[in-house]
Amino acid sequence: MSNIDTILQETRVFPPAPEFVKQANVSGMQAYRTLCAEAEKDLEGFWSKLGKQELLWHKPFSKTLDESNAPFFKWFYDGELNASYNCLDRHLETQPDKVAIIFEADDGKVTRITYKELYHEVCRFANGLKALGVKTSDRVLIYMPMSIQVVVAMQACARIGATHSVVFGGFSAKSVQERIVDVGAIVVITADGQFRGGKEIPLKPVVDEALAMGGCEAIKRVVVYKRSGSPVKMQAGRDLWWDDVLKGQPDRCDPVWVNAEHPLFILYTSGSTGKPKGIQHSTGGYLLWCILNMKWVFDYKPSDVFWCTADVGWVTGHSYITYGPLAVGATEVMFEGVPTYPDAGRFWKIIQDHKVNVFYTAPTAIRSLIKAGGDLPRKYDLSSLRILGTVGEPINPEAWMWYHETVGRGRCPIVDTWWQTETGGHTISPLPGATPTKPGSATFPLPGVFADIVDETGHPVGRGKGGILVIKRPWPGMLRTIWGDPERYKKIYYPDEFKGKLYLAGDGASTDEEGYYRIVGRIDDVLNVSGHRLGTMEVESALVANTTLVAEAAVVARPDDLTGEAIVAFVVTRGPRPSGAEATKVARELRNWVAKEIGPIARPKEIRFGDNLPKTRAGQIMRPLLRLLATGTALPPAVSPLENPAILEQLKQTS
């Protein structure tokens, strides 16, 4: 890992247009360098100034950073505030009638809600939660469709100091159950169903199945929002309709002032060890980070219509739908559906109809839209766009160029953002009014983020070389711990190999001679499918859980033009190795099984059958060899430690 060399050499450079630089919040590279120098000279002073400037405090902080129990850092730790107050109440005097959210449903119906209306709705639901017995520091699990109501639910939790944990609406009952148990939730907020691409997808039945699996005895109430109108079973004494929770509740609710370090949310992300990690984020530091990201990276202007296409089930939706845009008082678009329904022009029509200025989406979506109709964007009026963004995974240079030329018409800066659930928001990204961009490069760390690339011993590798991406100093938006497992937090993110001093991102990276960062792959066994991180162990465990069909399984990733990476599963069946039509049938069954166990996002793209898996004579699965097989790379002339070389030909065959 210490000698990663990128074969991709990118010489194209796109400086921001002079007229854009003039109006930018961070204007020109010198302004960027000045901010970086301020942070380097006085880290605490830098963040203290921004914390006081950007957040509304009930009790001002006097302590900026506490490193006494590193790596469990505390920011603004003697201050008190409320996230919902900072997102809603602060705008009531200045812009109560400004549209906060433009919601476009799957079927095209549009609903608008102002800051004043959203405030009252959040207050009513917060009062409803309190009436159900939800108290400060209780955990609430949210499993909902994209809707104004999911933002209301999250903001209501924040308002009363309850910690929310959102689960993506595509995850399975087992995934929901695991998260309910781990986080110790007392209430689940869900819906009867959701719509995606013209199809209804049930949600409440999934919650019922999850609760029936056991271990969820702490759940007192299940609140159900009526979205699809399909009949669902309601358990008396436990299940309540959303409207019944709201009924009779006052439309004002005093915010609960919490310590800056109070857990705002816990969001689960996959790990290489199988068990998902509950990433715990604070209130003060996280919210500051979201605000600065909006102002620095998205160059937020009060007239902007901002659209992040992510689902709130992922951190991108937390930071750039529920919290960041509302904290700065933006008007934002929320979309329930998919980019290709009813046709591949849906995204472009939304931009045209709502006059979107800042558009933030994933490379997977970009690649699918190129395939679906590369010239389609030219048929729509996209002249409102001024900034384009990408998130979730590195974008290949040619997709970047298409995005730049066909969508942005060559005039919109592209912010190719690198960050993680753990970082809370952007950490390496261009600033649109400052940074000359290179296709496929996340460019430079944000001010106050001290990134570096090191070898296995933690020593910097220097410019022009590749290695392990780390962050050398804490920053306000970072995770605080893994919920309920501080030792795992230290082991994963501040490992002993780096003497517990460096944040380990888990990604490999390289820089060119000018210092531009390029993310080149991961150093652990975590898959990245459509920008979503999935643990190989989770997928393997799901396959092996099918005890009727599967004896053994190993999972790797291969590059994929559409999803970034595709899941390739190597399977040893309990009976004879299937072939022909039988292999196709078994592969289909296993794909459906994984989709049910984890969710459709984890469905293997390829399944290959072998009499056994390639192992060393010591019994270790040879994963590097499987990666070569998955990508069709020529194998080394002799695989000496391999127990049974004959299986290699078997495992080249896809079902």
Side-chain angles (χ1 to χ4, degrees), residues 185-201:
I186 65 164
V187 169
V188 175
I189 305 171
T190 188
D192 48 5
Q194 61 184 339
F195 291 96
R196 288 181 68 81
K199 297 175 182 173
E200 183 185 336
I201 302 164

Side-chain angles (χ1 to χ4, degrees), residues 616-631:
T616 65
R617 292 184 176 90
Q620 294 173 314
I621 295 174
M622 299 177 68
R623 293 178 188 276
L625 189 61
L626 291 178
R627 291 189 188 99
L628 295 177
L629 287 166
T631 54

Side-chain angles (χ1 to χ4, degrees), residues 157-176:
C157 288
R159 195 159 194 87
I160 62 174
T163 300
H164 60 69
S165 186
V166 182
V167 180
F168 172 58
F171 275 177
S172 68
K174 185 73 170 73
S175 297
V176 173

Side-chain angles (χ1 to χ4, degrees), residues 86-96 115 326-329:
N86 272 272
C87 290
L88 301 174
D89 304 51
R90 70 187 306 172
H91 308 304
L92 294 181
E93 287 188 13
T94 56
Q95 51 177 39
Y115 271 92
L326 298 179
V328 297

Side-chain angles (χ1 to χ4, degrees), residues 28-44:
M29 280 300 282
Q30 189 51 53
Y32 163 75
R33 292 190 188 102
T34 298
L35 286 169
C36 292
E38 282 180 30
E40 191 162 358
K41 184 180 177 183
D42 180 6
L43 186 71
E44 288 195 39

Side-chain angles (χ1 to χ4, degrees), residues 4 56-57 72 114 459 567 589 592:
I4 298 175
L56 296 181
W57 295 89
F72 300 95
T114 66
H459 291 98
I567 297 172
E589 285 183 42
N592 293 338

